[in-house]
């Protein structure tokens, strides 16, 4: 099939479960990158990205941006996604979710993730995902500051070297906040092909050359207090 002909696919459902205190780039980067697959028919894949949350009308990111919730954890149309993307957020937000044994967030991630084709997290969202058991037996990456949070999850292996993303079976995890960009591009290649990933890269002009250089610090104690 020629590259300029859109392939016949049912919409590829991507759900991003959200909460107050979530990192903005963790949810904005995938929305932007995956969204281009639908905007331009030459990208070969029709996707639908949905912010899923509680019964409130909106949620607020950790830097104060208020965004509308597009579906709730109970809505039937988001229970069987093709891909679930679990974002990171403030330590207080993570701790509140993890400490609640009846958390609707945890219940949704566990249920929807167990039925998804791809189970993904970025940044400290890996802690939320590990808390569901869905990362057991897998190799992962996460934000450098949260590496030591996985003592409570001995069946999860954190890869050394702080890679931008790691694929382990159908699990894909990303490192710190900016890793959402690389991870999402990698997933575009997996679900729509390299040509589509290149087209999105060119459209977004994503050819990063950071203006500063530094080294990743060593992690201290886990910022989520109950996981020290």
């Amino acid at each position: 099939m020629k590259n300029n002909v859109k392939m016949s696919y049912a919409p590829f459902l991507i759900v991003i479960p959200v909460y107050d205190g979530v990192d903005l780039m963790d949810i904005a980067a995938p929305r932007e990158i995956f969204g281009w697959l639908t905007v331009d028919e030459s990208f070969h894949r029709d996707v639908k990205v949905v912010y899923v949350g509680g019964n409130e009308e909106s949620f607020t990111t950790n830097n104060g941006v208020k965004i509308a919730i597009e579906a709730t954890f109970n809505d039937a149309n988001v229970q069987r996604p093709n891909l679930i993307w679990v974002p990171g957020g403030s330590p207080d937000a993570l701790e509140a979710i993890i400490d609640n044994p009846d958390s609707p967030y945890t219940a949704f991630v566990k249920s929807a993730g167990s039925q998804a084709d791809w189970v993904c997290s970025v940044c400290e969202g890996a802690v939320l995902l590990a808390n569901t058991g869905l990362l057991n037996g897998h190799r992962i990456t996460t934000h450098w500051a949260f590496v030591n949070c996985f003592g409570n999850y001995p069946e999860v292996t954190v890869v050394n070297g702080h890679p931008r993303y790691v694929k382990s079976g159908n699990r894909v995890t990303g490192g710190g906040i900016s890793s959402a960009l690389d991870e999402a591009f990698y997933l575009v290649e997996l679900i729509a092909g390299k040509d589509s990933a290149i087209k999105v890269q060119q459209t977004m002009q994503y050819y990063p050359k950071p203006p500063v250089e530094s080294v990743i610090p060593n992690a201290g104690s886990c910022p989520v207090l109950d996981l020290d």
Side-chain angles (χ1 to χ4, degrees), residues 91-103 106 128 131 152-153 224-227:
D92 287 346
L94 268 65
E95 192 168 357
I97 292 171
I98 292 169
D99 282 352
N100 180 4
D102 299 317
S103 166
T106 301
L128 296 176
N131 190 54
N152 278 20
Y153 308 111
V224 183
L225 297 180
D226 286 356
L227 297 182

Side-chain angles (χ1 to χ4, degrees), residues 16-23 26-27 52-54 56 59-60 73 85-110 124-133 146 153 223-227:
I16 302 179
V18 294
Y19 49 91
D20 286 333
V22 71
D23 289 328
D26 282 10
I27 64 168
V52 184
E56 300 80 9
F59 64 99
T60 303
F73 295 135
W85 174 286
V86 181
S90 71
D92 287 346
L94 268 65
E95 192 168 357
I97 292 171
I98 292 169
D99 282 352
N100 180 4
D102 299 317
S103 166
Y105 187 94
T106 301
F108 175 78
V109 171
K110 186 172 184 177
E124 60 269 19
V127 180
L128 296 176
L129 195 51
N131 190 54
T132 68
F146 288 77
Y153 308 111
V224 183
L225 297 180
D226 286 356
L227 297 182

Side-chain angles (χ1 to χ4, degrees), residues 155-207:
E155 294 184 56
V156 181
T157 302
V158 180
V159 174
N160 292 328
H162 307 291
R164 299 284 283 175
Y165 55 86
V166 169
K167 179 179 179 295
S168 178
N170 72 334
R171 272 55 168 171
V172 181
T173 55
I177 302 171
S178 67
S179 300
L181 293 159
D182 290 4
E183 181 184 3
F185 272 111
Y186 177 62
L187 284 161
V188 167
E189 182 176 3
L190 290 175
I191 67 177
K194 187 173 183 179
D195 287 348
S196 293
I198 289 173
K199 284 178 179 291
V200 176
Q201 178 188 35
Q202 292 171 340
T203 298
M204 294 183 61
Q205 195 172 328
Y206 181 63
Y207 301 92

Side-chain angles (χ1 to χ4, degrees), residues 4-225:
N4 63 350
V5 177
K6 189 174 182 179
M7 298 172 70
S8 178
Y9 284 104
F12 187 94
L13 177 62
I14 298 172
V15 298
I16 302 179
V18 294
Y19 49 91
D20 286 333
V22 71
D23 289 328
L24 177 59
M25 184 175 282
D26 282 10
I27 64 168
R31 185 75 181 237
E32 176 75 20
I33 292 169
F34 293 132
W36 281 107
L37 292 174
T38 297
V39 170
D40 189 326
E41 66 177 13
S42 69
F43 291 162
H44 304 311
R45 200 72 193 252
D46 186 18
V47 302
K48 182 178 182 181
V49 184
V50 182
Y51 291 145
V52 184
N55 294 321
E56 300 80 9
E57 293 184 354
S58 63
F59 64 99
T60 303
T61 69
N62 63 359
N63 54 2
V65 179
K66 184 173 286 189
I67 301 173
I69 288 174
E70 299 166 311
T72 73
F73 295 135
N74 295 320
D75 287 348
N77 62 335
V78 294
Q79 301 304 315
R80 298 179 64 88
N82 296 101
L83 187 152
I84 185 170
W85 174 286
V86 181
S90 71
D92 287 346
L94 268 65
E95 192 168 357
I97 292 171
I98 292 169
D99 282 352
N100 180 4
D102 299 317
S103 166
Y105 187 94
T106 301
F108 175 78
V109 171
K110 186 172 184 177
S111 176
S114 67
Q115 302 178 80
D117 301 319
W118 295 99
V119 179
C120 310
S121 67
V122 68
C123 203
E124 60 269 19
V127 180
L128 296 176
L129 195 51
N131 190 54
T132 68
L134 291 173
L135 289 181
N136 288 353
H138 289 279
R139 300 165 67 252
I140 68 140
T141 189
T142 189
H143 189 289
W144 65 265
F146 288 77
V147 167
N148 291 330
C149 293
F150 288 83
N152 278 20
Y153 308 111
E155 294 184 56
V156 181
T157 302
V158 180
V159 174
N160 292 328
H162 307 291
R164 299 284 283 175
Y165 55 86
V166 169
K167 179 179 179 295
S168 178
N170 72 334
R171 272 55 168 171
V172 181
T173 55
I177 302 171
S178 67
S179 300
L181 293 159
D182 290 4
E183 181 184 3
F185 272 111
Y186 177 62
L187 284 161
V188 167
E189 182 176 3
L190 290 175
I191 67 177
K194 187 173 183 179
D195 287 348
S196 293
I198 289 173
K199 284 178 179 291
V200 176
Q201 178 188 35
Q202 292 171 340
T203 298
M204 294 183 61
Q205 195 172 328
Y206 181 63
Y207 301 92
K209 291 184 179 179
V212 297
E213 293 184 6
S214 66
V215 297
I216 296 177
N218 292 322
S221 60
C222 176
V224 183
L225 297 180

